[in-house]
Amino acid sequence: MSVATASRVIEFREALREAMSEEMRNDKRVFLLGEEVAQYDGAYKVSKGMLEEFGPRRIIDTPISESGFSGMAIGAAMRGLRPIVEFMSWSFSLVAADPILNNAAKMLYMSGGQFGCPIVFRGNDGAGGQLASTHSWCVESLYANVPGLKMAIPYDPYDAKGLLKTAIQDDNPVFFLESERLLSTTGHVPEEEYTIPFGKALIRREGRDCTIISFGRPLHFCEEAAAELAKEGIDCEIIDGRTIRPLDIDTMVQSVQKTNACVVVDQSWSFASVGSEIASQIHSICFDELDNFVHRVHSDDVPTPYAQNLEQAYLPNARKICEAVRAATYNA
Amino acid sequence: MINIDTEPPQNSQGSGSRQARSFDSAPLPEKEVLLGWLRQMLLIREFEVRTMQGYQNRLIGGFCHIYIGQEAIAVGTIAAVNPDDPVVLAYRDHGHALARGMDPKYCMAEMFGRIGGCAKGKGGSMHMFDAEHYLYGGHGIVGAQTPLGTGLAFATKYEDEILHDGKSNHVTLCFMGDGALNQGCFYETMNLASLLDIPVIFVVENNRYSMGTSIERGTSMANDLHVKSEAFGIDHAIVDGKNVTELYSQFKPIADWCRKNSRPYFVEAQTYRYKGHSMSDPRKYRTKDEELVEESKDCIAFLTTQLVEEYDVVADAIKQMTHQVKAQVREAVEWAKNSPETPIEELYKDVFTDSWGPFTGTSAPEMLQDRGEA
Amino acid sequence: MTIEITMPRLSDTMEVGTILHWHVDVGDEVSSGDILADIETDKATMELQTFDDGKVVSLVVNEGEQVNVGTTIATLTGDIPAGGEAPLEELVQTSVPENSEVKSSASVTASKTEHLGSRVSPVARRLAEEHRIDLGTVTGSGPSGRIIKRDILQLVDTKTETTAAATTTQSSVVAGQVSTAAQPIKPLAPTAPWQEDKVVPLSNMRQIIATRLVESKQTIPHYQVTMSFDMDPLLEMRATLNEQLASSGVKLSVNDFLVRCCALAMSSNPEFNASFGGDCILYHGPVNVGIAVAVPEERGGGLVVATIRNADTKSLRSISQESQYLSNKARTSGLSPDEMGDTTFTISNLGMFGVEHFTAIINPPNSAILAVGAAIEKPVIRNGELAVGNEMSATLSLDHRVIDGAMAAMYLKTLKELMENPASLLV
């Protein structure tokens, strides 16, 4: 459930747009660049109407040159501007891996504190609908490994707006992972400006028997699973981490101390993943509080398939989450 | 209502038969300035000699790339732009840092891995940064600095148009070697620079070798490099990389034009590096004869001769200058040796600007604090 | 001013270099940039140039010689004013701290998993402790019998009273808990502690004892068999012999008799002189009886087992002498490994403290240990009539993998015959 109290209901994509627009009005140094963000109104209509309001100098269409325009944006950020770079898909960030990891994340360190990089990279992360393996990348586990960048994954429109505003205001590089599948979902978003701090997880559902930790789109699968499990008398507590870096392990730990069982749901592949990192931290901090080892649910360890039935089976779906919770609570 | 013209940008589309743009040579500045250039080149050379010595004595580790032979380019181009024009470099960056005005002691201390270094010892030889002198770093990945340079220039233009409402006051120098001509992001960058009318000059220091690969073996159209920039509608010029006064005369009008018209430029400076690609390169891929021929056309020798013959500078004055430079570099080495090792606590500093988890925020290096820039 | 030229590091992996050829001689003038020598490195042959102007004073390393990077290879006199040229020191490389692995002493392996019902989830273990539930009484419902939170909570919920079994050979376990969910135990009125808390690290001796005894108890299936012995005949003989041999300094103890009897009893009960060998039984030839000796705290405390080798071939007298010697040595300067090793059977005697009965822990690799109490005057039945006699209780602890009940009974029967007919020891 969202924590918003206003009656206004808007789409996830609108919430993103509002966040960017508000920040661009408040601070002239903020600008947006990416493929099709201006005249096309955004490949996914996130930046619709922004060209009219801010003009072609601040809403900039780029050619298909992720490496080039990411590097260019980073150079501008070094100078003190605050660019927002839209990747049409985080899958395309791979060709820009050198500038975003080697330059953005490391600039402050390499320059001995002289030049920071107040930049936001954002775009669709994770499986869309039958987009197949080269367009369905979940990059969180790849990039979260690198020190020097922050990473946020919003769950609903309220979080999308609040977290994106924080990301734009942050002086450090932020990787903002949205989901194509969530763009049309709606939720309550207040009229007035607000931000959501990084590093504070949120309890989406309170429960006694098992802690489920997740981020972004998979949280919706978790809620589906929790409803199913409630019928079996298993009461799940769902934690939305909201940001991977910084990670609010304390809130997660407190929950596990209460339930003594934990399942981590991470849409990336399992090997060396965010899920494995959280499980490892829970194991080390909650060692004496665990009734069972931390169970993990990931997408299957295969390239994302095209066929709909295969893709649905591949995702960290509600069925897999139910199985994991039952196993973790010895109800299998 | 802002004009959102739907016509494609014109400047980058080519015009069929393009005349090479030509400029009148810029007049040279006065003798004192030229003497200043000589001093800078002597400083760079002596500094690089002591850098080599430091490396062989294991005071400097990792990768280390020596600029000896190419001094005229750094000095001549930087002299042609303003002190607050942004500069970004590849990894053969000591010469440019000194030409920009960095005190050699901070540069040497950085290579020695000390807290007094310009990046507090956390960057090393390839990462010379100096915020006060608008030096946005040496960068290690070949070609990666080219989009950064475009971005810096983009930002200066944005500042003028959106933040301050004026014409672009800056031109950005983006240095690279001929090796970067083969890196994909450079082409993406030229495309962007041309499309967006960005005032950046790509200064290609063509020393004819990428590590051990001669340019003919690695770069197509090596004799006609201008086609690479023409492909993007960017003007091209070749300047003499060995003769600093010639270089300045040719380069200054280009820099002024870019600044005024907010357009990019591709300037090739032909030169030669006397030493290997880096400190572990035995230079088997070229002949001793070739090296000797190139070294006989030395940029410092050229300027010295020019000053003596055309400006009545006495040999003694030059000798004195040489001694001063050597002393200055000696002091820099001494200072660097005495600068303490970077404390272990610095490991977790400058990762993020804020403090959270194990990270302890950020602080400016001694170099900026000494100048009251902290 | 002398300038030292050292073997330079010409590649990032170079450790040593060889001078292939000197390009200069002593006395030559050189300027910065001149080549001094050709040097062979791990990667290639490189030229060494001088960074300074000067005159060659000495060439320290010969052509063909290989030296470490940093070694002086030549010297120049330079034109730099004294004090201006900094000496060429080498940076002391911050050494990578050696992995200071804490070498764990012989650790008790987690053989707990071999015990039934010993798999416990961490939170179940904690809950069991909090609610004073003995895990040994819990059946685990988790995989492979793992005890999980639910199992403990169920016990707590149904208000089951449990008593923690008291073990006799271990010390300081609080015995006899009763826990009901309804009424917590009211604590006694607090009194001043009779001593302060203190932590005393284990001496080597106690550490070894701890390890070996735990290992013994955990790996050997112990069981006990007790028998009483009519000690009157033996005590009488002992008194007689001691009187007769007083002048020779012989003083026989009951234990000496025990050693001989136990050793002799082996001949018809060879499995008592055996050890468990995994997939076989190892029958030993020599009968080496170990006697347990208490060691004073100043010497590390605990107890050691001294070996009386070939006890079946030795007379009472020599057993006595040896046993006295070893006991004293154990209490003073300590026993050598030879004096402590190779036992095949052990006797532990607490009779001198008045202990009636106790059980001992087998001393591996023995298969049995005899725990001997005091000979106590008590009413006995002799020939169908009540009389006063000296009875001694002795309890064998046995390894059920080697010795089964019937064998144990036979052995004790043999022993009893020997002990109650001590004259047989003389021949």
Side-chain angles (χ1 to χ4, degrees), chain C residues 28 37 66-67 106 117 146 152 186 227 260 281 367 382 397:
Chain C
D28 284 353
Q66 186 189 75
V67 295
R146 185 188 301 159
I152 306 295
K186 290 193 181 57
M227 199 168 258
R260 181 132 170 84
I281 310 277
S367 302
R382 298 271 155 79
S397 292

Side-chain angles (χ1 to χ4, degrees), chain A residues 59-254:
Chain A
I59 309 292
I60 301 167
D61 276 333
T62 62
I64 304 174
S65 318
E66 278 79 6
S67 178
F69 68 69
S70 296
M72 187 177 89
I74 293 166
M78 285 171 73
R79 182 87 183 159
L81 298 186
R82 307 185 76 89
I84 305 169
V85 178
E86 179 172 305
F87 289 128
M88 198 182 286
S89 160
W90 270 98
S91 303
F92 305 155
S93 74
L94 301 179
V95 306
D98 181 61
I100 68 178
L101 299 178
N102 248 339
N103 288 335
K106 312 229 178 125
M107 193 59 68
L108 188 66
Y109 202 81
M110 275 200 308
S111 67
Q114 292 191 57
F115 298 107
C117 203
I119 193 168
V120 174
F121 296 97
R122 46 165 289 272
N124 292 327
D125 176 69
Q130 297 187 261
L131 300 183
S133 62
T134 59
H135 284 63
S136 307
W137 275 83
C138 299
V139 298
E140 46 265 52
S141 298
L142 291 180
Y143 295 154
N145 189 239
V146 178
L149 56 89
K150 299 190 182 178
M151 186 181 284
I153 306 192
Y155 152 88
D156 66 358
Y158 179 87
D159 272 29
K161 181 169 177 184
L163 288 172
L164 185 54
K165 280 173 73 76
T166 303
I168 297 168
Q169 292 174 16
D170 198 309
D171 288 333
N172 297 286
V174 179
F175 287 20
F176 198 81
L177 275 44
E178 300 150 13
S179 166
E180 190 243 343
R181 299 273 94 188
L182 294 181
L183 290 175
S184 305
T185 61
T186 55
H188 293 277
V189 177
E191 297 262 7
E192 60 275 11
E193 289 195 38
Y194 66 97
T195 55
I196 297 175
F198 284 358
K200 271 317 286 162
L202 187 68
I203 302 176
R204 294 259 171 221
R205 182 190 194 282
E206 286 190 18
R208 283 182 334 265
D209 298 325
C210 185
T211 301
I212 306 179
I213 298 170
S214 191
F215 303 84
R217 182 188 177 204
L219 280 163
H220 297 274
F221 303 145
C222 296
E223 287 177 330
E224 226 184 288
E228 192 55 42
L229 291 163
K231 297 181 200 161
E232 298 165 29
I234 302 173
D235 188 28
C236 297
E237 179 149 294
I238 301 180
I239 311 262
D240 176 359
R242 279 174 155 169
T243 52
I244 290 176
R245 289 262 216 179
L247 182 72
D248 181 6
I249 193 67
D250 289 338
T251 300
M252 298 169 186
V253 160
Q254 267 170 38

Side-chain angles (χ1 to χ4, degrees), chain B residues 346-357:
Chain B
E346 276 290 327
L347 268 181
Y348 281 87
K349 232 185 187 41
D350 308 315
V351 184
F352 294 95
T353 57
D354 50 337
S355 297
W356 59 272

Side-chain angles (χ1 to χ4, degrees), chain B residues 178-179 181-182 206-225 228 268 270-272 285-286 290 294:
Chain B
D178 46 286
L181 295 174
N182 306 323
N206 183 0
N207 59 24
R208 312 209 317 255
Y209 291 92
S210 303
M211 206 154 139
T213 306
S214 64
I215 193 171
E216 303 84 53
R217 293 207 296 133
T219 306
S220 33
M221 301 297 280
N223 295 327
D224 284 321
L225 290 179
K228 295 180 187 290
E268 180 195 345
Q270 292 174 335
T271 182
Y272 199 82
Y285 43 84
R286 55 193 202 184
E290 178 188 288
E294 290 296 335

